[in-house]
Amino acid sequence: VNNVSVSSATAIEVYFSEAVDTTAENVANYTGLGTVSSAFRNTNGDMVTLTLANALANGVYDTLTVTNIKDTSGNVMIAPQNFTLIYNASVANLLITEIMYNDPSGIDSLEYFEIYNNGSSAANIGGYEVTQGVHFVFPGNTNLAVGDYMVIAKDSALVNSVFGISGTLQWTSGELKNSGEDITIENSVGDTIAYVNYGTASPWPVGAGPSMVFCDKTLDNNNGANWSLSTKFVSVFNGDSIFGTPGADCYHDAIFGSVSNNTSINVYPNPATEVIHISTDGATYELSIYNISGSLVKRTTIKDVNNSISLKSLQSGMYYMQFVNTKTANRMSKKLIIQ
């Protein structure tokens, strides 16, 4: 037997390396899938369609054993052959909720995408197949609870290590193009379960280092305007900052809300090491620096147009800088990365 294919929940196609005789129509020679009702050869005699009395269960592994088949010259199979099959015609309510396609590792070794069960019941997605973007078939009995996430990566061990997570699956082949492409997940009968055609220009968010995240599950999953760059700083990898939340909900800037891009205050370099330089419009500002937990770690007053602030007391990571104009009480904030 060269190959076995599942064409429906009750039909299995068995492909032989040559034409076979009537032994191939003996249902007793096919075991492991319950009762085989019939076995019919095609006109060339090199393919047999099996009809099952009972449908295959969604999302689980089954093993078909083929034995005692003879070719048209009477030569019998040397030994039984076993084939692991998986079938899943269910339609789970999945969303693609995070995509890391352009990490700063040089060879995009941190590529991954994340799926989310947006349905009202747990889903067994074993047998679902990623057919575009990369190639991957979800293993049997891959269960995803309501509201849970799952990560599929180019290098699962590396993603687990860098992001401090576990349970990441690893796709079989392919990579996520930096120029944008489709990511499509289908069930065994070709129904599209989840689909995103991500891009690298507006309305899609653009950036190397942060992942793209889809946070509001009520919106159109394939509309780039509904995606944003992750603001969750994870670590410095290969000399650049990594942002992402694989396997978890979106990270929200709970300390200050949105971060201002006000150009009257410039902070550089950012990422920084031991010192940052701050140029202002000449007003007096109270500067407070908070860590990502919201704890105040440094406070000072800046009065000059050009200022230098020591960071030697602070560890590597992401921080928030809050500037308060001491005269007008206007506030603005900026993110700071310390390497």
Side-chain angles (χ1 to χ4, degrees), residues 228-251:
S228 58
L229 294 179
S230 176
T231 59
K232 172 62 174 177
F233 173 75
V234 178
S235 64
V236 175
F237 183 81
N238 199 35
D240 288 299
S241 299
I242 298 293
F243 300 79
T245 55
D249 196 7
C250 292
Y251 174 79

Side-chain angles (χ1 to χ4, degrees), residues 69-88:
I69 308 297
K70 298 179 181 179
D71 64 16
T72 53
S73 299
N75 300 305
V76 68
M77 295 174 64
I78 295 175
Q81 289 180 257
N82 298 314
F83 296 87
T84 300
L85 310 175
I86 190 166
Y87 176 85
N88 196 338

Side-chain angles (χ1 to χ4, degrees), residues 17 44 51 91-92 110 142 158 166 181 219 242-243 245 281 296 317:
S17 60
N44 293 328
T51 302
V91 182
L110 285 180
T142 300
L158 182 62
S166 61
E181 65 178 323
L219 300 178
I242 298 293
F243 300 79
T245 55
D281 54 3
L296 178 69

Side-chain angles (χ1 to χ4, degrees), residues 204-261:
W204 292 91
V206 179
S211 66
M212 293 194 304
V213 290
F214 178 80
C215 300
D216 188 340
K217 313 302 191 296
T218 67
L219 300 178
D220 181 358
N221 196 200
N222 193 37
N223 185 342
N226 299 329
W227 289 71
S228 58
L229 294 179
S230 176
T231 59
K232 172 62 174 177
F233 173 75
V234 178
S235 64
V236 175
F237 183 81
N238 199 35
D240 288 299
S241 299
I242 298 293
F243 300 79
T245 55
D249 196 7
C250 292
Y251 174 79
H252 301 285
D253 297 332
I255 302 174
F256 302 117
S258 61
V259 176
S260 170
N261 290 319

Side-chain angles (χ1 to χ4, degrees), residues 62-250:
D62 290 287
T63 301
L64 170 66
T65 301
V66 184
T67 188
N68 295 326
I69 308 297
K70 298 179 181 179
D71 64 16
T72 53
S73 299
N75 300 305
V76 68
M77 295 174 64
I78 295 175
Q81 289 180 257
N82 298 314
F83 296 87
T84 300
L85 310 175
I86 190 166
Y87 176 85
N88 196 338
S90 68
V91 182
N93 186 358
L94 300 186
L95 296 173
I96 297 170
T97 49
E98 185 165 351
I99 303 171
M100 174 71 87
Y101 69 89
N102 191 16
D103 69 79
S105 64
I107 58 173
D108 288 344
S109 54
L110 285 180
E111 285 184 353
Y112 64 83
F113 67 92
E114 171 193 84
I115 60 174
Y116 172 80
N117 183 356
N118 198 39
S120 58
S121 60
N124 184 346
I125 61 175
Y128 282 4
E129 183 175 4
V130 185
T131 59
Q132 294 187 84
V134 299
H135 183 254
F136 178 70
V137 177
F138 288 88
N141 281 324
T142 300
N143 293 291
L144 193 58
V146 176
D148 273 3
Y149 297 88
M150 184 172 290
V151 181
I152 304 91
K154 182 177 183 179
D155 185 334
S156 58
L158 182 62
V159 167
N160 284 341
S161 174
V162 170
F163 290 92
I165 60 176
S166 61
T168 299
L169 302 177
Q170 183 166 308
W171 63 63
T172 307
S173 61
E175 58 185 20
L176 300 177
K177 294 179 181 177
N178 290 351
S179 57
E181 65 178 323
D182 297 346
I183 301 176
T184 305
I185 301 174
E186 298 180 349
N187 66 10
S188 298
V189 294
D191 296 323
T192 297
I193 303 300
Y195 169 77
V196 168
N197 180 16
Y198 71 89
T200 59
S202 181
W204 292 91
V206 179
S211 66
M212 293 194 304
V213 290
F214 178 80
C215 300
D216 188 340
K217 313 302 191 296
T218 67
L219 300 178
D220 181 358
N221 196 200
N222 193 37
N223 185 342
N226 299 329
W227 289 71
S228 58
L229 294 179
S230 176
T231 59
K232 172 62 174 177
F233 173 75
V234 178
S235 64
V236 175
F237 183 81
N238 199 35
D240 288 299
S241 299
I242 298 293
F243 300 79
T245 55
D249 196 7
C250 292

